[in-house]
Amino acid sequence: AEMAAARLSGTENRLVSLPLSRIRVIMKSSPEVSSINQDALFLTAKATELFVQYLATYSYKHGRGKEKNALTYTDLSHTAEECETFQFLADILPKKILASKYLKMLEKEKRDGEVREDDDEGEEEEDEDKA
């Protein structure tokens, strides 16, 4: 029986590109998961692999990949932002921005927060800007 299981594992490993041991670790990191059936592990790995292939293919076809004959991070983040199917990935694949631009955004958010907290000061600042 052990040999049959080993043979099955070997066959499954060839059918899936992703490492099953890593998938198992990720699945076990969920507090609701106590044990993982071998079939569930294999199917999760295969579904993940197919999903990644679909994301990559879609991003390549709808991005600038065809022009450059390459798939870029920008293609992936554009797909996450524009395609409804992949929008749940927007936080994981954010658009790249320069650090300086990000710091300016943070500074603006901080200023806006201060203005909202104390409206009187905000009005004075606006008056000064107009002068």
Side-chain angles (χ1 to χ4, degrees):
E2 283 179 35
M3 238 167 129
R7 262 200 317 264
L8 184 62
S9 292
T11 306
E12 284 176 356
N13 283 330
R14 276 182 257 127
L15 294 173
V16 181
S17 300
L18 299 173
L20 294 178
S21 57
R22 278 291 181 84
I23 302 285
R24 178 182 276 119
V25 168
I26 294 168
M27 290 172 76
K28 280 193 171 181
S29 71
S30 177
E32 303 92 53
V33 175
S34 55
S35 65
I36 299 163
N37 176 307
Q38 195 64 24
D39 290 340
L41 175 64
F42 173 74
L43 291 172
T44 300
K46 192 65 185 174
T48 303
E49 184 181 316
L50 293 172
F51 174 78
V52 171
Q53 285 176 357
Y54 178 58
L55 171 63
T57 304
Y58 185 96
S59 299
Y60 180 83
K61 285 180 181 172
H62 293 86
R64 290 183 310 198
K66 283 186 190 169
E67 298 166 22
K68 298 178 179 179
N69 200 24
L71 177 63
T72 65
Y73 179 88
T74 305
D75 295 331
L76 293 168
S77 67
H78 182 75
T79 295
E81 192 179 341
E82 300 297 323
C83 178
E84 199 176 324
T85 305
F86 297 109
Q87 278 180 350
F88 73 98
L89 294 173
D91 292 343
I92 298 165
L93 292 166
K95 269 191 164 179
K96 280 188 178 179
I97 61 169
L98 294 172
S100 56
K101 194 173 180 182
Y102 180 68
L103 291 172
K104 282 180 187 172
M105 283 169 49
L106 285 179
E107 193 58 41
K108 185 183 183 314
E109 281 178 23
K110 189 178 173 187
R111 279 197 313 268
D112 289 351
E114 285 171 5
V115 170
R116 266 187 246 115
E117 286 170 21
D118 195 350
D119 287 336
D120 295 338
E121 263 185 52
E123 286 170 15
E124 285 171 21
E125 284 174 19
E126 284 174 22
D127 292 340
E128 285 172 21
D129 289 343
K130 289 177 190 166

